[in-house]
Amino acid sequence: MSEKELGQKWDRCLADGVIKLGTGLGLGIVFSVVFFKRRTWPITLGSGMGLGMAYANCQTDLRLHYLVPKKQWLIHSNHI
Amino acid sequence: MHKAILVFLVVFFYSGGAAKVVTAGLMTVTGGIAGTILYAKWDHKFRETVEKNVPYSDRLLGLALGPAPQETGLSVKKQIELAQPPSMMEKAMKVSKAKQEKKVKETTESPIEVAKPVQPAQSLEEASTEVTHIISAISDVPSVPAPCDTEMTPVKEECKECHNHKVTAETAAVSTEIESVAAAEPLKERPVEEVTARLAQQDLDEQEIVASVSGNLDDSLASSAKATLQAIGAQEAALQAIALHTQKLKEAMEAEVPPQEKSTQWKDLEACLANRAAAVNDAGTALLKANEALDNLKSVIDKSKGRNVPAVRPLVLAAEENLHKMVVDLDKVVNKVKSAESEAKVVSQYSELVNEAKLQFQREVSSLTPEIQANWKGLTGKLSTDDLNALIAHAHRRIDQLNRELAEQRVREQIHIDAALEQQKLEYLKSQEAAVNTSLQHIKEDARLEQERKLSELREVMEAEMRTQLRRQAAAHTDHVQDVLKVQEQELKAEAEQVLSSKLLEQETRQRQLSQEQLDNFTLDMNTAYARLKGVEEAIDSHVVAEEEARKAHQLWLSVEALNYTLKTAEAGSPTKPLEVAAQAVRDSCHDNEFALALASALPEESLQRGVYSEASLRARFYGLRSLVRRVALIDESHNSLYQYFLSYLQSALLFEAKQEAPPTQLSGEDLDPFKLLSYASYCLEHGDLELAAKLVNQLTGEARRVAEDWLNEARLTLETRQVVSLLSAYANAVGLGTTQAP
């Protein structure tokens, strides 16, 4: 169903965002603890990067139909 | 113009900087425009290009310079047009003239170029001649009248010829008529036998007449001849008698004979005289008789002339000639007799004179010698000397007297001779006249007879010639009649044959027609019977077929109904049962019907395999779809970032549209807004119009479209299936209706 697709995308976005945010946060914390003397900027950087990547991925995912020729989309959709 | 320039200059010099710029700009612009106008006036091509390229320049240039210069082309065209109508007019005129000509031809013949009796034609004529002049002056336009004229003249000549032909035909007709009339007339002549009979009768009559006339003539001729001969004989006898008498008289007068002989002489003389008188009388009577007879003959001749019969003529002529001859002879003899008589008269006169002298002398002697007797010759011895002397003296005196008388007589002789000559002349004249008259008459008579003879000869010759000519003509006539008869015979034969053949043909055709009709009727009946039989057979077959069809239609209908029913088996959220079975049933029930087969195969695969959703489920689905579509209303190819998504979500939260709105009959631009479309579509769905709802949803674009794609497909499927099924059912119904037979 094509109307479910959007919802699925959003789910993916969200999941991906959570993952990326968590990962970024974690890595930020690690880096800030390990390399940058418990400064906050690596955490925010990491979370920001994670969030940013999640945003970018979400956007790409949402745009995918308009960016990619149909054949690749089909392949992609098959993948998914 | 100058004032404007002055104003500009003033403004230019007495104004500020900006105004200066503005004025300079205005000046350049106006200068450019003026320059283009002037150049356009001078160069027409430039003007045209300007007008073509710059939109409203043609108006401006028209205002400034006047209309575009195209007069040359127009003038030529106008001339040509002017030239054309006269030629056309002329053609029309010639046509009208031709018509008039035809009319005129019927009445009289008149040459074309000369003015006609009809007046409008005259004016047209003049106009056309003028126009021909004009046109001939214009070299490029070919002169039209020439062919018309040539057409006219041969027409006229033809007309003349035809008129002549007509005339000759008429004359020929007339002559043929005449000839036919003339040919008809001989037919009116009496038949040949009658003619010959008449001719024979005529001949007989003529012969009779001729015989009678000739008889008459002969009789009269004979009588007259006799009479004339008698007369002539008598006349000759008279003549002889007269001659004898005169001779005797002369002798008696002159001869000195003794007295005895004298008395015998005188007796003879008397006898002769008596003879002569008798002879003369006889001659006179004979002459009378002869004259009578001749008159009779003449009357007979006249009568016979009056008969007017040609055969009689020569007889008449001969009779006339005889008559003439007799008359001539008679006259001659009469003349002889007359001359003899005159001579005799002379002699008698002489004798009388002598006698008278003698008597006188005797009287004188007796007076002198009264005693002497008459017969003095016997007195020679008786006379005395005195008597003798007295006698001698008397004799001397007498001699003197006689001499004197003689001299006197000699003197008077001339006069007497003249008088006598005169008398003689007169008498001669008279006799001459008489002789001339008689000879003239004779000659006239001769001439007349000659003429008559010649006339009769000529007449005979003419008659002969005429006969030959008539014979020739008759021969020619018979030839001609033969020819004509032959020709007529042939013509009549041909006519009769033609009539016969036509009648035969007619009969034949009629016969054929009748037989054909009979045949046709028979075939028609046969055909009708056959057709009826065929019809009956066909009806039966068609009944069978129809029943079969009806059965099939029923089956089809049932299967279609089954299909329809399966459509209704859709539950709330799930699709119907697959339509494959029902569709198969339908296909089976219509495997010979292409239309139904096509329709059955037109069912979409999805519906067959999977089934279709019901309208209700689609409707329910639509509402879910609607909110989603509202949320992604702003997203399309260009606007598809997350921010846009956010905005779109915001819009859907903030924007309120009517839940349901009746869609207009025509969508305008603003109706293509997704919200509006959704409200229209929900309205349609609420009212059961899935098709329109699908159409409206189809108008969505971008992400909204992509989201609604599945629903749209499902809707399409459903619609398709439903359409096919409805078609099938309609078709089945129609077939069913068609196969139902009226009671």
Side-chain angles (χ1 to χ4, degrees):
Chain A
M1 303 278 207
S2 56
E3 55 254 34
K4 298 219 166 86
E5 198 184 298
L6 193 64
Q8 283 167 4
K9 274 187 190 170
W10 278 123
D11 292 345
R12 280 203 296 273
C13 267
L14 223 59
D16 193 41
V18 163
I19 289 162
K20 293 244 167 19
L21 184 66
T23 314
L25 195 68
L27 271 175
I29 287 167
V30 166
F31 270 81
S32 107
V33 162
V34 171
F35 296 116
F36 294 109
K37 294 166 196 167
R38 290 190 184 227
R39 294 231 190 136
T40 41
W41 64 266
I43 301 165
T44 50
L45 180 70
S47 58
M49 276 167 66
L51 205 63
M53 280 197 287
Y55 185 90
N57 276 348
C58 190
Q59 193 164 269
T60 310
D61 195 15
L62 285 168
R63 267 187 189 175
L64 207 58
H65 177 72
Y66 301 106
L67 290 176
V68 178
K70 197 117 191 207
K71 257 196 271 182
Q72 288 196 4
W73 187 87
L74 280 169
I75 292 163
H76 187 83
S77 71
N78 281 340
H79 265 298
I80 295 171
Chain B
M1 220 13 209
H2 303 289
K3 274 191 186 170
I5 291 165
L6 274 168
V7 161
F8 267 124
L9 284 170
V10 159
V11 166
F12 192 73
F13 285 116
Y14 284 98
S15 58
K20 257 195 187 176
V21 168
V22 164
T23 49
L26 274 172
M27 287 277 297
T28 44
V29 162
T30 47
I33 289 167
T36 48
I37 287 169
L38 281 169
Y39 191 62
K41 189 173 184 180
W42 186 66
D43 186 11
H44 294 292
K45 282 222 172 100
F46 174 72
R47 181 183 171 156
E48 278 167 29
T49 48
V50 162
E51 281 179 3
K52 205 164 55 170
N53 293 327
V54 180
Y56 289 98
S57 59
D58 56 349
R59 268 197 222 168
L60 181 68
L61 287 169
L63 271 174
L65 301 175
Q70 295 165 13
E71 287 103 9
T72 51
L74 268 175
S75 65
V76 166
K77 278 184 197 167
K78 272 182 192 167
Q79 269 185 6
I80 289 166
E81 280 171 4
L82 281 169
Q84 283 277 328
S87 70
M88 299 292 284
M89 257 167 50
E90 205 182 306
K91 269 188 187 163
M93 272 189 259
K94 288 290 175 189
V95 164
S96 67
K97 257 199 270 179
K99 284 183 192 162
Q100 281 177 350
E101 266 282 337
K102 279 179 192 163
K103 281 185 200 163
V104 168
K105 254 191 267 171
E106 284 172 8
T107 55
T108 58
E109 280 182 359
S110 59
I112 302 166
E113 275 71 26
V114 177
K116 287 181 211 150
V118 184
Q119 277 189 349
Q122 257 187 354
S123 61
L124 266 175
E125 259 267 335
E126 288 166 357
S128 69
T129 49
E130 279 177 41
V131 165
T132 47
H133 286 313
I134 291 164
I135 286 169
S136 59
I138 300 169
S139 58
D140 50 347
V141 176
S143 60
V144 173
C148 285
D149 278 338
T150 53
E151 273 176 8
M152 281 301 179
T153 46
V155 164
K156 189 185 99 173
E157 281 168 16
E158 279 174 301
C159 119
K160 259 190 190 164
E161 280 173 22
C162 76
H163 194 77
N164 286 338
H165 280 307
K166 265 195 215 168
V167 166
T168 52
E170 281 176 307
T171 53
V174 166
S175 63
T176 50
E177 279 174 26
I178 288 167
E179 279 179 359
S180 66
V181 165
E185 273 185 26
L187 299 169
K188 289 182 193 170
E189 277 181 357
R190 305 183 200 110
V192 180
E193 301 97 9
E194 213 187 302
V195 167
T196 49
R198 276 181 77 91
L199 281 171
Q201 190 67 30
Q202 259 186 353
D203 283 338
L204 279 170
D205 291 338
E206 271 182 28
Q207 274 177 8
E208 276 178 29
I209 287 164
V210 162
S212 67
V213 161
S214 62
N216 279 346
L217 279 172
D218 286 339
D219 288 337
S220 48
L221 260 174
S223 62
S224 57
K226 245 193 248 173
T228 44
L229 279 171
Q230 267 184 359
I232 286 166
Q235 294 281 353
E236 294 219 327
L239 188 76
Q240 271 187 1
I242 289 167
L244 192 67
H245 174 73
T246 46
Q247 199 183 7
K248 282 257 163 89
L249 198 65
K250 264 190 202 167
E251 282 179 6
M253 287 292 103
E254 293 166 0
E256 294 284 336
V257 291
Q260 286 166 336
E261 281 181 14
K262 201 106 193 180
S263 63
T264 51
Q265 233 182 16
W266 283 117
K267 274 182 195 163
D268 282 334
L269 204 66
E270 274 175 29
C272 272
L273 182 66
N275 232 4
R276 175 190 153 173
V280 164
N281 280 338
D282 280 340
T285 50
L287 185 68
L288 279 172
K289 267 192 209 165
N291 278 335
E292 247 181 62
L294 285 170
D295 286 337
N296 209 8
L297 181 64
K298 221 177 199 177
S299 70
V300 165
I301 286 166
D302 287 336
K303 240 194 270 175
S304 57
K305 263 197 208 169
R307 292 287 184 92
N308 203 14
V309 170
V312 171
R313 287 219 188 95
L315 294 170
V316 165
L317 216 61
E320 272 188 357
E321 277 187 8
N322 282 335
L323 172 73
H324 177 62
K325 269 189 221 162
M326 285 192 270
V327 163
V328 162
D329 291 338
L330 215 66
D331 284 341
K332 268 193 226 169
V333 163
V334 163
N335 279 342
K336 272 191 213 164
V337 165
K338 270 191 190 155
S339 63
E341 272 192 353
S342 63
E343 220 180 280
K345 217 187 250 180
V346 163
V347 170
S348 70
Q349 271 184 359
Y350 171 68
S351 73
E352 273 180 28
L353 273 172
V354 165
N355 278 342
E356 226 186 273
K358 252 192 206 171
L359 276 171
Q360 180 104 22
F361 184 67
Q362 226 175 5
R363 256 187 268 129
E364 284 178 8
V365 165
S366 67
S367 72
L368 284 175
T369 58
E371 52 273 6
I372 295 170
Q373 299 297 315
N375 203 354
W376 56 282
K377 282 196 176 167
L379 297 173
T380 44
K382 296 170 192 176
L383 292 170
S384 59
T385 50
D386 285 334
D387 284 330
L388 281 167
N389 289 336
L391 203 66
I392 291 161
H394 178 72
H396 278 293
R397 255 188 277 141
R398 188 82 183 149
I399 288 161
D400 286 337
Q401 193 197 354
L402 282 169
N403 282 336
R404 254 186 281 135
E405 268 189 28
L406 191 68
E408 225 180 273
Q409 204 64 30
R410 273 196 192 136
V411 166
R412 283 185 199 161
E413 197 185 325
Q414 196 65 36
I415 298 164
H416 281 209
I417 281 167
D418 287 337
L421 276 171
E422 284 282 337
Q423 212 181 12
Q424 192 75 25
K425 226 187 254 180
L426 282 169
E427 276 191 24
Y428 264 146
L429 275 167
K430 270 191 212 156
S431 65
Q432 213 175 36
E433 263 182 46
V436 160
N437 278 341
T438 48
S439 62
L440 196 73
Q441 266 186 18
H442 286 161
I443 286 165
K444 264 191 198 166
E445 196 69 25
D446 263 338
R448 193 179 66 81
L449 284 170
E450 188 81 26
Q451 195 185 32
E452 294 252 324
R453 212 186 308 132
K454 283 233 171 84
L455 207 72
S456 71
E457 273 177 26
L458 203 71
R459 205 173 276 153
E460 268 178 38
V461 165
M462 285 289 166
E463 284 256 350
E465 211 176 296
M466 192 146 96
R467 273 217 192 86
T468 51
Q469 291 295 340
L470 278 171
R471 241 180 272 135
R472 227 185 266 169
Q473 205 169 53
H477 179 66
T478 48
D479 281 342
H480 174 69
V481 163
Q482 256 179 13
D483 287 340
V484 164
L485 278 170
K486 257 190 223 161
V487 165
Q488 261 186 3
E489 191 189 321
Q490 275 177 4
E491 273 178 24
L492 283 167
K493 220 189 254 182
E495 216 179 283
E497 266 180 29
Q498 203 181 29
V499 165
L500 182 73
S501 64
S502 71
K503 282 259 157 71
L504 266 170
L505 210 75
E506 221 181 276
Q507 285 293 332
E508 249 184 68
T509 47
R510 214 184 292 166
Q511 190 69 28
R512 252 188 238 140
Q513 250 180 15
L514 280 167
S515 63
Q516 194 66 35
E517 256 179 59
Q518 268 184 359
L519 218 80
D520 285 341
N521 282 341
F522 184 64
T523 41
L524 208 75
D525 291 334
M526 284 292 291
N527 282 342
T528 46
Y530 187 69
R532 284 174 75 193
L533 184 68
K534 275 277 162 200
V536 165
E537 275 183 8
E538 259 185 51
I540 293 167
D541 286 339
S542 67
H543 261 266
V544 165
V545 164
E547 270 185 31
E548 182 69 30
E549 285 291 314
R551 197 183 56 75
K552 274 196 199 150
H554 248 249
Q555 219 175 346
L556 182 68
W557 187 80
L558 282 168
S559 53
V560 165
E561 279 298 303
L563 189 62
N564 223 352
Y565 187 72
T566 53
L567 272 179
K568 292 184 190 145
T569 58
E571 283 130 38
S574 58
T576 61
K577 295 211 181 88
L579 305 172
E580 181 59 45
V581 176
Q584 188 58 44
V586 167
R587 257 181 256 131
D588 290 337
S589 64
C590 68
H591 54 84
D592 55 350
N593 193 339
E594 280 172 16
F595 181 63
L597 211 60
L599 278 175
S601 45
L603 281 169
E605 274 300 313
E606 285 282 330
S607 70
L608 290 174
Q609 306 302 330
R610 193 204 59 186
V612 289
Y613 285 97
S614 68
E615 196 175 326
S617 58
L618 282 170
R619 216 171 66 216
R621 195 165 148 184
F622 182 73
Y623 288 116
L625 185 67
R626 185 178 179 168
S627 54
L628 192 56
V629 166
R630 285 182 79 245
R631 258 180 267 151
V632 294
L634 276 179
I635 311 298
D636 58 23
E637 293 104 0
S638 46
H639 310 102
N640 53 13
S641 60
L642 269 171
Y643 180 60
Q644 294 290 344
Y645 270 95
F646 170 67
L647 285 175
S648 163
Y649 270 114
L650 197 61
Q651 189 190 47
S652 76
L654 293 175
L655 205 144
F656 296 99
E657 81 280 8
K659 270 267 155 52
Q660 289 166 28
E661 201 177 318
T665 47
Q666 278 214 349
L667 286 175
S668 59
E670 61 192 25
D671 289 332
L672 293 177
D673 174 42
F675 297 100
K676 265 242 158 67
L677 282 169
L678 286 168
S679 53
Y680 289 153
S682 56
Y683 178 86
C684 290
L685 275 173
E686 284 303 311
H687 286 84
D689 194 352
L690 183 59
E691 194 182 334
L692 193 55
K695 281 184 196 168
L696 287 160
V697 167
N698 197 25
Q699 299 305 317
L700 290 168
T701 54
E703 189 64 34
R705 172 54 175 266
R706 266 192 54 220
V707 153
E709 196 75 43
D710 260 354
W711 186 90
L712 205 54
N713 282 338
E714 290 299 322
R716 210 178 272 139
L717 263 176
T718 309
L719 284 167
E720 242 183 84
T721 315
R722 272 214 301 198
Q723 191 182 44
V724 168
V725 167
S726 69
L727 273 172
L728 271 170
S729 71
Y731 178 68
N733 282 333
V735 167
L737 270 174
T739 53
T740 51
Q741 291 176 11

